[in-house]
Amino acid sequence: MFYKIKKKIEPYFYLSPALILYGFFFVAPFIYALYVSFNDWNLMTGEMQWLGLENYRNLVNDELFWYSIRNTLLYVVGRVPFSVALGLVYAILIEKTRGAFRGFFRFVFFLPIVFSIAAASLSFQLLFAPRRGFINQFLSLFGIIGPNWLNYSNTALIAIIIVGIWQSFGYNVILYIAGLKNIDDSYYDAAEIDGATAWQKFRFITWPLLTPVTFFVFVMTMLFSFRVFDVVQIMTGGGPSNATNVISFYVWQEAFRFFNTGVASAAAALLFIVMMLLTLFVAKKMQERVHYQ
Amino acid sequence: MIKKNFLVIILLIALVLTLGVTSVQAEVVELEFWHVFSAEREQAVDEKIDIFNQEHENIEVSHQSVPGWYGGLLEQLQTYAVVGQLPDVTLMGLSMTNFMRTGFNTASLNSYIEEDNYDLGQLDEKMLSFTQHEDETYGFPYAVSTPLLFVNREHFDEAGIEFTREPETWEQVKEWAIELNNLDHTSGGIAFQMDFDVWQFQTMLESFGGEMADLEAQEVLFDEEPGQRVLQYWEELRFEEEAWPLMDGEQAAEEFLAGDLSMIMSTTGNLTTFERDASFDVDAGLLPAEDEYGNPRSTPGGGSGIFILAEEDERQQASWEFVKFMVSETAQPYVVEEMGYMTPNLAVSDPEGIMADFFAEYPLVELSYQHAEEGLSDWFNWPEDTTNRIESRMNDHLISFISGEKTAEEALEASRSDVEAILDW
């Protein structure tokens, strides 16, 4: 009897350090934020006044909230497919490369992961500069007059998406390389004997066997994309005219710029629920297509 | 026995000395000061604080530079207020002085001024009024600025335009911008730094005879005829004449310094930086004397004030000593020399006073004081903690207009509507 109980409890005992930290740093603040979302919290005096659903009502009536949702969705749609696809393509190309370049490319593509995002954002700001920026100077070689990327509403979000793709695809490359290494060579040998083309090998061996990695990469990139904040804050400050005001920025702005913690907490709670539902939906849909060896 | 007694005596002496040192240390009041200056400017602040600390045995001031300028500083103050860890002394933008008083309960300096017989006459009266409310002084102005028109003299010479430091009308400036824009190697004739705040809009609005709002009557006024004329003026420069290229404030300053942009309306805070860093002949002018209807120029005082947040008597007293020092003849010269701002201290701003050499070397600096002498106006303070939100929303709409996404009418209407919603007017 004692042995049975011990066996049941033991795993939780081992998990407890992580669970305590998780509870302390995530669950408790989340529950508190949820509580704040039903209140008007005056940060200066510390007074809290119960408002019920008032903050949520204000939130759904705020045009800027919906605009930030729209921007976030555009950002996710623009960033995720490209960083996943580029990650896959580059991983395959690197794996096909022989010699010293292989290590070099792995190193180069991993750089964005270790690079400070603040420094990278400032560097990209210079790259996107209207007259002396590298991107517009490069475009001018082909007779194209590049826009003032960060100051036009219709190009600012594109610029932010480009930085996002740069930021995440290196990480995806590494994950895909790990995935590629896990595929047994015997599948390719058999396909070779059957006379399969390179495309057929990719289509019927590589792609299906990489679906677990693709699933993971897709979900992680999507979650990272929903949470984008630092690049926006540094490069555009949510502008011009809120063109890059994404939901995380909106939450921060309401809380720490406008001191509207109730609405900010309500927006954060909604963001959490939306992200959770979306992740569950994507996970369910993708699981149906995931193949394991 | 003697040896034992000797040891006891030694121990007692050590104890007395230790306690003595501890009690001396306990008397030192440690103050924290927050500001917004970084790099060389922070270094200058650091040097002055060192002097203060050396001069005051019982006060030790440490400082922290908060990123994000006054907006960032306000955010940090708000955040630290929650956990009761506000600094003892802080700087804050002059558009937030009301909120410092009502939101942060900054200490009134009146009792200290009286006790010390502190002569307020050593500070510029108008600048001082920015940090006063009714009969109370809630802080001192620290570094003040006004907008100036910076120009690339070489472009003017090339275009054959005779530059005057005292342009007569805004039309004259527009004509210059259009002519300068015709130089084929420049990116534009003029730029306004619109994205930082609504300071430049307020400057133009008041120079065109308008007002931001009537707080008592709870009425928005910036969208009336003068406001419409400001946007009409900008529309002509931006879209009809294409003399004002689309760029943000920082880009505009960079383009100007690189010699690509001919004119920029910017803060006096950039005076020394522009003069030092530009590879061409930089000049600056006052804002035009009047608009087409004869309305005189308005120059809202930007910059910052210094405020005491400490609550305990002892800390407040020490903070008062520090605040006095920061606006004194010892500390203020670096505000002019290293930061390029105007000083409220009359002894420092006297061109023939202690800074005579500097004024002789940088004659343009006197221009900003000319604005000040004619009368600064208040940087508009919206009620309570709404300034950030209102300025942010107004800026969004004004930038939409400048980037061609909204008409002038739409931008003003949307701004008015947002302000009314935020203030519940």
Side-chain angles (χ1 to χ4, degrees):
Chain A
M1 181 68 183
F2 174 74
Y3 178 74
K4 270 188 178 173
I5 294 171
K6 189 185 164 224
K7 208 174 174 187
K8 270 190 176 175
I9 291 175
E10 203 174 4
Y12 294 103
F13 174 74
Y14 293 127
L15 281 173
S16 59
L19 287 176
I20 289 168
L21 288 175
Y22 185 74
F24 192 72
F25 288 108
F26 177 76
V27 180
F30 177 72
I31 291 170
Y32 192 67
L34 207 60
Y35 172 67
V36 170
S37 74
F38 296 105
N39 287 276
D40 177 23
W41 185 18
N42 185 331
L43 291 177
M44 305 300 302
T45 58
E47 285 168 20
M48 224 184 256
Q49 190 193 346
W50 181 259
L51 289 181
L53 289 172
E54 185 68 25
N55 287 328
Y56 288 90
R57 258 196 296 276
N58 288 339
L59 190 65
V60 293
N61 287 329
D62 186 359
E63 277 178 32
L64 193 54
F65 170 69
W66 293 109
Y67 196 59
S68 69
I69 296 266
R70 167 199 169 269
N71 288 340
T72 310
L73 291 175
L74 283 176
Y75 180 81
V76 172
V77 169
R79 178 183 174 183
V80 176
F82 281 105
S83 31
V84 173
L86 281 174
L88 177 61
V89 169
Y90 276 96
I92 292 171
L93 289 177
I94 288 169
E95 279 307 284
K96 285 196 180 301
T97 308
R98 296 280 167 244
F101 281 112
R102 198 182 204 181
F104 172 74
F105 283 127
R106 276 187 201 162
F107 167 73
V108 166
F109 288 118
F110 196 68
L111 263 184
I113 316 296
V114 291
F115 213 71
S116 147
I117 194 60
S121 302
L122 291 171
S123 306
F124 269 101
Q125 238 178 346
L126 296 174
L127 292 177
F128 283 117
R131 283 206 353 146
R132 274 174 297 281
F134 171 79
I135 292 170
N136 281 359
Q137 291 211 341
F138 179 73
L139 290 175
S140 71
L141 295 176
F142 306 97
I144 302 167
I145 301 170
N148 189 340
W149 291 88
L150 301 176
N151 280 281
Y152 273 112
S153 296
N154 40 7
T155 53
L157 192 61
I158 295 172
I160 297 291
I161 289 171
I162 291 171
V163 181
I165 293 170
W166 171 85
Q167 197 185 352
S168 58
F169 97 95
Y171 181 61
N172 296 346
V173 167
I174 301 300
L175 290 171
Y176 271 122
I177 286 175
L180 286 169
K181 286 195 178 302
N182 269 339
I183 300 176
D184 200 321
D185 282 344
S186 60
Y187 294 116
Y188 294 109
D189 294 341
E192 192 79 35
I193 292 164
D194 289 344
T197 62
W199 167 249
Q200 284 170 325
K201 280 189 232 171
F202 172 78
R203 171 73 184 83
F204 296 108
I205 300 171
T206 312
W207 178 246
L209 293 179
L210 277 181
T211 45
V213 178
T214 304
F215 167 64
F216 179 74
V217 162
F218 189 88
V219 171
M220 291 309 288
T221 314
M222 189 182 75
L223 290 177
F224 283 136
S225 303
F226 269 108
R227 286 175 12 200
V228 62
F229 172 77
D230 35 19
V231 179
V232 171
Q233 164 75 316
I234 295 166
M235 286 182 67
T236 61
S241 310
N242 292 306
T244 57
N245 192 337
V246 288
I247 187 71
S248 301
F249 188 84
Y250 176 89
V251 170
W252 168 82
Q253 187 169 255
E254 284 295 326
F256 298 109
R257 210 163 162 208
F258 304 152
F259 319 125
N260 206 347
T261 41
V263 169
S265 301
L270 282 183
L271 174 67
F272 173 77
I273 292 164
V274 168
M275 277 172 71
M276 198 173 68
L277 291 176
L278 205 66
T279 310
L280 288 173
F281 174 76
V282 171
K284 191 172 181 328
K285 282 286 160 198
M286 288 193 76
Q287 282 286 13
E288 291 166 8
R289 293 163 187 254
V290 169
H291 302 265
Y292 296 96
Q293 286 190 63
Chain B
M1 184 67 184
I2 293 169
K3 200 176 175 185
K4 200 176 175 185
N5 283 343
F6 180 71
L7 271 173
V8 169
I9 290 165
I10 293 287
L11 277 171
L12 278 173
I13 292 170
L15 190 66
V16 167
L17 282 175
T18 312
L19 286 174
V21 170
T22 314
S23 68
V24 168
Q25 278 174 345
E27 283 171 17
V28 174
V29 181
E30 290 181 1
L31 298 179
E32 200 177 341
F33 168 55
W34 287 3
H35 58 89
V36 294
F37 304 112
S38 56
E40 288 168 2
R41 288 174 169 185
E42 186 182 9
Q43 182 66 30
V45 172
D46 193 58
E47 284 167 15
K48 294 302 164 192
I49 289 177
D50 274 350
I51 295 174
F52 176 83
N53 287 339
Q54 281 162 18
E55 286 177 0
H56 296 78
E57 283 179 5
N58 299 332
I59 306 173
E60 181 76 28
V61 179
S62 61
H63 67 101
Q64 188 193 125
S65 169
V66 181
W69 213 235
Y70 301 125
L73 179 57
L74 188 63
E75 285 154 28
Q76 185 153 317
L77 284 172
Q78 181 87 359
T79 311
Y80 277 70
V82 180
V83 285
Q85 290 179 7
L86 284 170
D88 302 281
V89 182
T90 187
L91 288 191
M92 184 43 72
L94 290 171
S95 66
M96 303 285 182
T97 49
N98 276 348
F99 184 49
M100 290 306 290
R101 177 173 53 81
T102 57
F104 286 93
N105 297 320
T106 48
S108 165
L109 305 182
N110 279 26
S111 57
Y112 296 110
I113 291 167
E114 276 172 35
E115 273 172 34
D116 264 14
N117 268 334
Y118 184 81
D119 179 16
L120 288 177
Q122 61 187 294
L123 302 177
D124 181 275
E125 197 181 346
K126 182 61 198 175
M127 292 184 194
L128 182 62
S129 73
F130 295 153
T131 52
Q132 290 175 320
H133 180 74
E134 295 174 350
D135 293 331
E136 299 279 329
T137 300
Y138 287 95
F140 283 155
Y142 175 73
V144 182
S145 59
T146 66
L148 284 179
L149 199 61
F150 292 91
V151 303
N152 182 324
R153 278 303 288 262
E154 290 166 19
H155 288 185
F156 272 74
D157 293 343
E158 200 181 332
I161 303 168
E162 197 178 327
F163 174 70
T164 164
R165 285 182 179 166
E166 296 190 34
E168 286 168 17
T169 63
W170 288 94
E171 279 306 304
Q172 189 180 9
V173 172
K174 188 162 75 187
E175 281 162 22
W176 287 347
I178 295 164
E179 278 185 60
L180 290 161
N181 193 43
N182 290 332
L183 298 174
D184 50 8
H185 59 86
T186 58
S187 62
I190 193 167
F192 296 82
Q193 293 182 303
M194 294 296 301
D195 50 319
F196 300 146
D197 39 52
V198 293
W199 190 45
Q200 297 207 353
F201 173 69
Q202 188 194 331
T203 304
M204 296 285 289
L205 177 73
E206 290 178 356
S207 295
F208 279 51
E211 283 176 79
M212 293 292 275
D214 182 339
L215 295 179
E216 276 184 25
Q218 300 196 335
E219 197 181 348
V220 169
L221 299 173
F222 60 69
D223 61 334
E224 293 186 348
E225 191 261 347
Q228 291 161 17
R229 281 197 297 120
V230 172
L231 267 61
Q232 174 66 30
Y233 183 84
W234 281 342
E235 192 166 283
E236 285 168 22
L237 282 169
R238 262 289 294 140
F239 304 110
E240 290 171 25
E241 304 295 343
E242 296 181 350
W244 173 9
L246 181 65
M247 54 180 75
D248 62 38
E250 264 179 47
Q251 285 173 347
E254 284 164 16
E255 291 273 305
F256 178 73
L257 272 177
D260 290 337
L261 182 71
S262 303
M263 286 192 285
I264 182 171
M265 186 160 133
S266 189
T267 162
T268 47
N270 281 330
L271 258 169
T272 44
T273 316
F274 281 171
E275 273 202 284
R276 278 175 199 165
D277 296 349
S279 55
F280 52 86
D281 184 10
V282 177
D283 210 333
L286 300 175
L287 299 186
E290 56 185 33
D291 73 346
E292 57 189 307
Y293 294 101
N295 293 304
R297 70 172 150 248
S298 170
T299 48
S304 58
I306 186 164
F307 302 92
I308 296 177
L309 298 174
E311 289 176 359
E312 296 162 28
D313 288 347
E314 191 186 22
R315 302 187 76 81
Q316 261 191 17
Q317 179 67 50
S319 300
W320 162 246
E321 294 300 325
F322 179 62
V323 166
K324 268 193 305 182
F325 171 81
M326 289 303 271
V327 295
S328 70
E329 288 172 37
T330 313
Q332 278 286 307
Y334 83 100
V335 166
V336 181
E337 207 166 353
E338 304 295 330
M339 299 183 177
Y341 282 92
M342 286 191 290
T343 169
N345 190 308
L346 295 172
V348 181
S349 63
D350 180 1
E352 286 159 14
I354 55 173
M355 296 281 288
D357 290 346
F358 179 80
F359 279 96
E361 193 181 346
Y362 294 97
L364 289 181
V365 174
E366 276 190 62
L367 278 176
S368 46
Y369 291 98
Q370 205 172 323
H371 269 163
E373 269 171 32
E374 290 169 9
L376 295 168
S377 66
D378 288 4
W379 191 353
F380 196 79
N381 275 229
W382 293 97
E384 296 169 1
D385 62 348
T386 56
T387 296
N388 258 356
R389 184 184 280 271
I390 287 176
E391 291 207 347
S392 168
R393 287 290 167 99
M394 281 184 71
N395 243 337
D396 289 340
H397 299 307
L398 289 172
I399 288 167
S400 289
F401 158 70
I402 287 158
S403 58
E405 287 157 34
K406 279 194 174 115
T407 64
E409 201 178 326
E410 286 168 347
L412 287 173
E413 165 61 25
S415 299
R416 185 180 58 79
S417 160
D418 277 352
V419 171
E420 286 175 347
I422 292 166
L423 295 173
D424 209 12
W425 280 0

